[in-house]
Amino acid sequence: MGFNVSSIKTSSDGIWQGENPLHYAFPLLIIQTTLVVFLSRCLTFLLKPLRQPKVVAEILAGIMLGPSAFGRNEAFARWIFPIWSTPILESVASIGLLFFLFLVGLELDLKTIRKSGKRAAGIAFAGISLPFVFGIGVAFLLRKVIKGVDRVGYGEFFLFIGVSLSITAFPVLARILAELRLLTTQVGEIAMAAAAFNDVAAWILLALAVALAGGGKAHHSPLISLWVLLSGIGFVVFMFTIVRPIMIWMARKASCGHHIVEETFICLTLAGVMLFGFMTDLIGIHAIFGAFIFGLTIPKSGDFGGRLILRIEDFVSGLLLPLYFASSGIKTDITKIHSLGSWGLVVLVVSTACVGKVLGTFFVGMLYNIPAREALALGVLMNTKGLVELIVLNIGKEKKVLDDETFAILVVMALFTTFITTPAVMAIHKPSIHQIQLEKTPKTKENNLRILACIRGPRDARSLITLIESLRSNKNNNSSITKLYVMQLVEFSDRLSSILMVQRARKNGFPFISRVLRRDDDTTDQVTTAFEAYSQLGRVKVRPTMAISALPNLHEDIIHVAKKKQAEIIILPFHKYWQMEGGEEMEIHAGHGWRTVNERVTRQAPCAVAVLVDRGLEVNSMRVCIVFFGGADCRKAMEFGSRMVEHPAVRVTLVRFIQHIGSNFDVAERTLDDTTIADFKMRWDKQTVYAEKEASDELVEQVLAIGKSGEFELIIVGKGMFPQYIMAKLSENPLTDQHSELGPMANLLASSGKEIKSSVLMIQQQAFGCENSKDMNSKVASQC
């Protein structure tokens, strides 16, 4: 059925009116979008075991929908992707691409690039220049072998070939590094910095290529190219001298907390993306350049950029961007590579791209004293292609610089080089979780307390500082020194905001802390400098480290660092916290994934584990209650709580629940409990309050009463391993098994709607590996 483009309507009147919705623009666009997203997600799932980045699946999905696979079926092509729908699909995809490139500009921090040093700049230069030089020979050969290519000027053809061979896909590289657990290693840091250099250089070269191409018009003259180039330079100068100060002012005003002002500035910014895209298109450079440069002008400090990303990222990356891959796939016809000679050209182009990148990066890396294996892995990583490669190729096809066969060859090259990156790096570098970057620290005496504390955000940092401060003794002796390893947990995903978070983490070991309490500058300064101040006190030594992984793998990083640093206890933040809003207590949930992290750590940790349920800790005058039921976990909780006794601002109360000896009574455990309590009272009797209560049938109500009383800011309890009569009473209450990582008693005190005012610290004796334990007894040792 033929269609007149001028007669195409937006929507149909429905099948009951005898109309086929697929003959109308909007219903067809819905079907196309659904099919593209579904297929790309399916391929992402199938390729996940091979640890491939999502972009590989999206490129494959686009190719499959084109004339290389499904599109070979005439009925499919006529009904789902008819020729008349191509401009509509490409227009919607271009809007997605426009905003995605704006997000890419947001994630690139020029200050970080400038501070990356000569090593990253040298590696980036080598990774660009050598493949670019090799592109001269490839361009010459392609023009000789492929018919019709020689009608295009050699200069613009060579530029597009050189850029396509020398590009490194910065967002794709970041995701591969995260998947291989290399983001915080030396290789990862150099690769990220060099890729950022490479990204900026690639956009400059592409702008030059577009200016020279001129749309393939016969009357195009060098003078027009010069005007386009000068206009582009003028646009960049305008953006950084006029627009950037305005955006800095807008970002500062948007952070004032006024909702209407924030919404207005965000809407103006999103409108600016399209406006500046139009300006570069007007100049003669592609519209995406305007969006990209505008993204670079947005200040990276503060939360304005992060809020912009959160507003549009999922819609753009999840829905609109796959349409761009589909529109690219429709243009890619692998069958154009039909002869043995054509496939020989594919091998040549792929080999040239790989050899140029790997050799250039490897030799310069060796000059900078990078070990051979790491330098080789770095070269393979820098050969990663992705969306930027497709953008270059699509612009080249639009400008009639690349024909169908050359376009298909270069798409195959981009797909193959990205696909082999992960397995090649795994074979060369053998990545593992043992390559997490840890600051080297001198050995300390065995009687020092080693704590691995994990933080997700500013609230965790604040409560952690309070808790660690309560452990600090005023006595000047080496036995009271606390060594604190602060592990910042960064969830890495396919979102661009993950890359932005990684970059912030690189600039500052504690990127979240600078955002604590924006309303109070004094408090912000105190929190920002708190960890450094602790180190200067002489009894708390702070060592920062960082784990950047997907949530299902974060527990492995935590456990490895605990083993590496011989931590005596791991402190984890609970996945919920509470805050007062309008006089009411509001429960805030960090997500089920974080709960899973805590559960896995408590099951597999080589040392004791504590989970902090924070309801707002203040160390100025903190009252602590240790609730003791008996068993190894309670003894460990009491040992931990006893370290707070010597702090002048902390008042410790020990409440023991006991029952007279009966049939369900473990004499050995009771003896250990009695001995531990006696030692505690002998040492701290004058500085603590001790109380005994009978474990009656109202045990649950007795414990809840302690939490509701408001007498204590913090309640410390053991996770489990209680005497049988205690467990029997607790098992009758359904609230005691809500969260497996907390145990029955902490579950009661962490439950919502019970008017509990106290924060809760659950402590679990180590699950296995008792070599670091200070609570050694025959029964626990036999279990280990």
Side-chain angles (χ1 to χ4, degrees):
M1 181 177 180
F3 284 91
N4 182 358
V5 176
S6 62
S7 67
I8 295 173
K9 295 181 180 180
T10 303
S11 58
S12 70
D13 293 326
I15 58 172
W16 303 117
Q17 299 290 337
E19 294 183 349
N20 186 345
L22 295 182
H23 293 167
Y24 294 83
F26 188 58
L28 181 60
L29 181 63
I30 292 174
I31 294 298
Q32 290 172 337
T33 304
T34 304
L35 180 62
V36 168
V37 173
F38 176 76
L39 183 58
S40 63
R41 289 296 174 181
C42 287
L43 289 175
T44 300
F45 177 77
L46 292 174
L47 291 174
K48 193 172 184 180
L50 300 178
R51 306 177 80 170
Q52 292 297 320
K54 190 175 72 170
V55 68
V56 171
E58 290 172 330
I59 294 174
L60 277 176
I63 293 175
M64 289 175 65
L65 292 172
S68 302
F70 299 153
R72 294 182 66 81
N73 184 297
E74 291 184 5
F76 178 85
R78 185 175 65 253
W79 286 100
I80 306 301
F81 290 101
I83 295 174
W84 62 264
S85 71
T86 302
I88 301 169
L89 179 65
E90 289 185 355
S91 296
V92 177
S94 295
I95 292 176
L97 184 65
L98 195 72
F99 280 97
F100 184 80
L101 266 296
F102 169 70
L103 295 177
V104 172
L106 261 178
E107 81 181 22
L108 273 180
D109 190 346
L110 295 180
K111 290 183 179 178
T112 303
I113 293 174
R114 287 198 300 267
K115 294 177 181 178
S116 296
K118 295 181 179 179
R119 182 166 60 176
I123 288 172
F125 178 77
I128 294 173
S129 58
L130 195 58
F132 203 81
V133 171
F134 284 2
I136 298 174
V138 172
F140 179 79
L141 188 61
L142 290 175
R143 285 170 63 87
K144 289 291 185 182
V145 175
I146 300 176
K147 294 180 180 180
V149 177
D150 54 355
R151 288 178 293 183
V152 181
Y154 184 78
E156 51 262 42
F157 185 74
F158 155 66
L159 271 176
F160 273 97
I161 296 295
V163 172
S164 64
L165 293 181
S166 59
I167 276 178
T168 298
F170 178 72
V172 180
L173 175 65
R175 290 172 179 84
I176 291 176
L177 288 171
E179 178 68 29
L180 297 178
R181 321 293 277 282
L182 292 173
L183 266 172
T184 54
T185 63
Q186 180 186 13
V187 170
E189 290 181 351
I190 296 172
M192 286 284 283
F197 272 112
N198 195 303
D199 224 19
V200 174
W203 287 111
I204 295 171
L205 291 171
L206 181 57
L208 179 62
V210 172
L212 291 175
K217 295 179 181 178
H219 62 272
H220 181 68
S221 69
L223 186 61
I224 294 176
S225 297
L226 180 63
W227 278 114
V228 171
L229 193 59
L230 291 176
S231 299
I233 294 172
F235 174 79
V236 173
V237 173
F238 168 76
M239 294 296 289
F240 280 95
T241 57
I242 306 297
V243 176
R244 180 170 170 76
I246 295 174
M247 297 310 302
I248 292 173
W249 176 82
M250 286 177 58
R252 189 165 56 247
K253 287 292 183 182
S255 301
C256 67
H258 199 290
H259 180 70
I260 297 177
V261 173
E262 178 186 336
E263 288 291 327
T264 302
F265 286 152
I266 287 178
C267 289
L268 287 174
T269 303
L270 297 182
V273 175
M274 293 182 284
L275 174 62
F276 294 120
F278 171 77
M279 288 179 64
T280 50
D281 191 78
L282 186 67
I283 290 170
I285 307 177
H286 202 283
I288 59 173
F289 286 96
F292 176 72
I293 298 298
F294 184 46
L296 290 177
T297 64
I298 306 293
K300 304 305 182 285
S301 58
D303 290 339
F304 185 63
R307 288 200 292 270
L308 282 169
I309 290 177
L310 290 175
R311 293 294 179 93
I312 63 175
E313 180 181 14
D314 289 332
F315 180 68
V316 171
S317 300
L319 194 65
L320 297 183
L321 196 61
L323 294 180
Y324 185 79
F325 289 101
S327 65
S328 300
I330 292 170
K331 300 173 190 173
T332 306
D333 189 357
I334 303 297
T335 60
K336 294 291 183 181
I337 313 173
H338 50 78
S339 65
L340 189 62
S342 296
W343 282 107
L345 289 176
V346 173
V347 174
L348 174 69
V349 171
V350 171
S351 303
T352 304
C354 294
V355 171
K357 273 284 185 185
V358 174
L359 282 184
T361 305
F362 176 77
F363 285 126
V364 174
M366 293 292 289
L367 289 176
Y368 283 109
N369 297 320
I370 297 175
R373 276 183 175 271
E374 293 189 3
L376 190 59
L378 195 57
V380 175
L381 286 166
M382 294 299 291
N383 199 33
T384 304
K385 312 295 182 187
L387 176 65
V388 182
E389 173 84 3
L390 280 188
I391 293 171
V392 172
L393 300 181
N394 275 287
I395 292 176
K397 201 169 190 311
E398 288 174 13
K399 301 292 183 181
K400 297 183 172 62
V401 175
L402 304 177
D403 69 334
D404 290 344
E405 186 175 352
T406 308
F407 182 81
I409 289 172
L410 294 174
V411 169
V412 171
M413 180 270 293
L415 185 62
F416 180 79
T417 53
T418 306
F419 188 87
I420 65 169
T421 298
T422 299
V425 174
M426 289 178 66
I428 296 168
H429 199 253
K430 302 187 185 304
S432 70
I433 63 170
H434 301 287
Q435 291 161 337
I436 300 169
Q437 185 183 35
L438 294 168
E439 187 171 315
K440 293 182 179 180
T441 56
K443 293 183 178 180
T444 57
K445 296 182 180 180
E446 292 298 326
N447 57 357
N448 293 338
L449 177 63
R450 290 168 173 254
I451 299 175
L452 173 61
C454 303
I455 61 173
R456 295 186 306 252
R459 186 184 178 98
D460 298 336
R462 181 167 49 191
S463 58
L464 170 63
I465 291 170
T466 302
L467 183 62
I468 299 303
E469 168 63 15
S470 68
L471 297 172
R472 185 171 61 83
S473 170
N474 280 349
K475 292 185 177 180
N476 190 16
N477 58 69
N478 291 332
S479 63
S480 64
I481 291 177
T482 299
K483 177 164 283 189
L484 174 64
Y485 298 97
V486 181
M487 173 174 271
Q488 175 199 326
L489 304 179
V490 179
E491 177 192 2
F492 197 93
S493 64
D494 284 329
R495 300 165 63 94
L496 281 172
S497 51
S498 292
I499 301 177
L500 195 62
M501 183 63 69
V502 170
Q503 290 186 329
R504 287 180 177 177
R506 292 197 183 290
K507 280 197 272 184
N508 182 351
F510 305 102
F512 298 104
I513 297 174
S514 61
R515 295 190 280 119
V516 179
L517 297 175
R518 289 282 181 191
R519 298 177 303 235
D520 188 343
D521 292 337
D522 292 335
T523 308
T524 303
D525 293 338
Q526 291 173 12
V527 177
T528 304
T529 60
F531 290 115
E532 289 80 1
Y534 278 152
S535 291
Q536 296 172 6
L537 289 173
R539 286 179 294 277
V540 179
K541 295 182 179 179
V542 181
R543 297 291 183 267
T545 184
M546 179 170 53
I548 306 173
S549 294
L551 278 183
N553 301 324
L554 265 176
H555 69 285
E556 297 177 3
D557 298 338
I558 297 170
I559 292 168
H560 167 68
V561 175
K563 290 178 180 177
K564 182 85 173 179
K565 294 303 177 183
Q566 299 178 341
E568 184 179 333
I569 188 167
I570 301 170
I571 300 178
L572 300 169
F574 191 48
H575 66 279
K576 297 180 183 177
Y577 64 90
W578 292 261
Q579 65 183 27
M580 299 300 296
E581 290 186 9
E584 296 184 0
E585 186 179 65
M586 302 292 293
E587 179 181 292
I588 299 175
H589 202 292
H592 180 75
W594 291 106
R595 175 186 175 182
T596 304
V597 172
N598 288 357
E599 289 175 345
R600 290 174 176 173
V601 172
T602 54
R603 286 198 301 265
Q604 302 175 28
C607 59
V609 178
V611 178
L612 178 61
V613 181
D614 182 26
R615 286 191 170 93
L617 283 175
E618 295 292 340
V619 79
N620 295 332
S621 179
M622 188 163 69
R623 295 163 296 176
V624 178
C625 179
I626 306 172
V627 180
F628 189 93
F629 300 99
D633 288 348
C634 280
R635 291 193 291 272
K636 191 67 180 179
M638 191 172 68
E639 175 198 327
F640 188 86
S642 66
R643 290 181 174 272
M644 301 180 178
V645 175
E646 293 183 337
H647 195 287
V650 178
R651 182 68 172 169
V652 177
T653 298
L654 174 62
V655 178
R656 183 185 186 187
F657 286 87
I658 59 174
Q659 185 185 45
H660 296 296
I661 296 176
S663 57
N664 294 326
F665 187 79
D666 190 325
V667 177
E669 281 293 312
R670 179 62 176 266
T671 302
L672 285 170
D673 293 341
D674 291 342
T675 303
T676 305
I677 291 289
D679 291 342
F680 180 88
K681 291 170 64 177
M682 182 181 300
R683 186 175 182 185
W684 308 114
D685 186 49
K686 295 181 180 180
Q687 297 166 267
T688 60
V689 176
Y690 175 75
E692 287 187 358
K693 295 185 179 182
E694 184 176 352
S696 63
D697 293 336
E698 289 78 30
L699 176 64
V700 170
E701 287 72 20
Q702 288 176 297
V703 174
L704 288 175
I706 296 175
K708 294 177 182 179
S709 66
E711 296 179 9
F712 304 103
E713 282 72 37
L714 179 66
I715 299 175
I716 302 177
V717 296
K719 179 180 181 180
M721 301 179 71
F722 303 145
Q724 292 183 19
Y725 60 85
I726 297 288
M727 292 300 300
K729 294 181 185 300
L730 292 176
S731 62
E732 298 171 0
N733 193 302
L735 293 176
T736 58
D737 60 354
Q738 282 186 323
H739 307 102
S740 62
E741 73 271 30
L742 288 182
M745 195 53 62
N747 261 312
L748 277 176
L749 295 170
S751 57
S752 305
K754 295 295 182 181
E755 300 179 355
I756 296 173
K757 301 178 177 62
S758 305
S759 298
V760 181
L761 184 68
M762 182 285 298
I763 295 184
Q764 169 193 284
Q765 175 64 285
Q766 59 210 79
F768 60 87
C770 292
E771 61 271 16
N772 292 333
S773 176
K774 293 188 177 182
D775 186 23
M776 298 291 288
N777 58 72
S778 58
K779 182 170 182 177
V780 177
S782 64
Q783 292 174 348
C784 292

